[in-house]
Amino acid sequence: MNQLRIRTLAALFVLAGVLSWGGARLWDTLGTLPGVPLAAPIVLGAIAAILLATALSLRARLKAQREREPGAEGVDPMLAARAVLFGQASALVAALVSGIYGGTGLFLITERADVPARATQALYAGLSVVAGIAVIAAAILLERICRLPEDDDEDNNPPTAAA
């Protein structure tokens, strides 16, 4: 499984933000811009909380297993792999969604700041970006916790027979 790259997530965020800002400008010239739902930051925040709780739980279980505490519950490798996969998928989607709401929020702040209803929409968009960043941070933490230690090839090489 490949590791998440911050550069990829940032590029996805910026690309989605630029396209969303341009799309919001175009949509606003044609009529009304759709609103930012209040549920967006709430759902992203819930996903971040789930990822963080999973990461902290796995970290505690791995630490107990590593220190060989009596009654320590082991971690199933497939459970850890699924958790990391869920975190990576969540981080990619959060980068995309945060970019979309970031571009829309930027448009609302720069172009429609005089309309009070749009100020509330810009606030929801900003909260969505913050919650999306929290999802990304929790996913990266989860990935770091579940990372396997590196193999030391030099120490594990069997001795070769002298010819």
Side-chain angles (χ1 to χ4, degrees):
M1 195 177 314
N2 291 334
Q3 190 175 4
L4 276 176
R5 302 218 186 276
I6 302 295
R7 187 178 13 197
T8 303
L9 296 172
L12 186 59
F13 175 82
V14 169
L15 180 66
V18 169
L19 291 175
S20 175
W21 178 78
R25 284 185 59 115
L26 178 65
W27 197 315
D28 192 51
T29 59
L30 298 175
T32 61
L33 183 66
V36 178
L38 175 61
I42 293 171
V43 170
L44 287 170
I47 293 170
I50 290 168
L51 286 172
L52 183 61
T54 302
L56 295 177
S57 172
L58 285 173
R59 183 176 69 176
R61 288 172 57 186
L62 287 169
K63 180 181 178 190
Q65 185 179 7
R66 193 172 38 250
E67 294 175 357
R68 298 195 172 138
E69 293 179 5
E73 186 179 340
V75 176
D76 179 29
M78 286 304 292
L79 173 84
R82 287 181 186 130
V84 170
L85 189 63
F86 173 66
Q88 287 181 344
S90 297
L92 289 169
V93 170
L96 180 67
V97 169
S98 296
I100 290 170
Y101 285 128
T104 302
L106 184 63
F107 170 76
L108 291 172
I109 289 172
T110 57
E111 301 293 325
R112 298 289 180 208
D114 55 339
V115 180
R118 291 300 184 189
T120 304
Q121 297 296 310
L123 175 66
Y124 293 161
L127 290 174
S128 297
V129 171
V130 170
I133 291 170
V135 168
I136 293 168
I140 290 172
L141 175 67
L142 177 62
E143 184 180 60
R144 299 295 189 259
I145 288 171
C146 293
R147 186 178 354 178
L148 293 173
E150 296 292 326
D151 290 334
D152 294 333
D153 290 336
E154 297 169 3
D155 296 337
N156 293 336
N157 286 341
T160 56

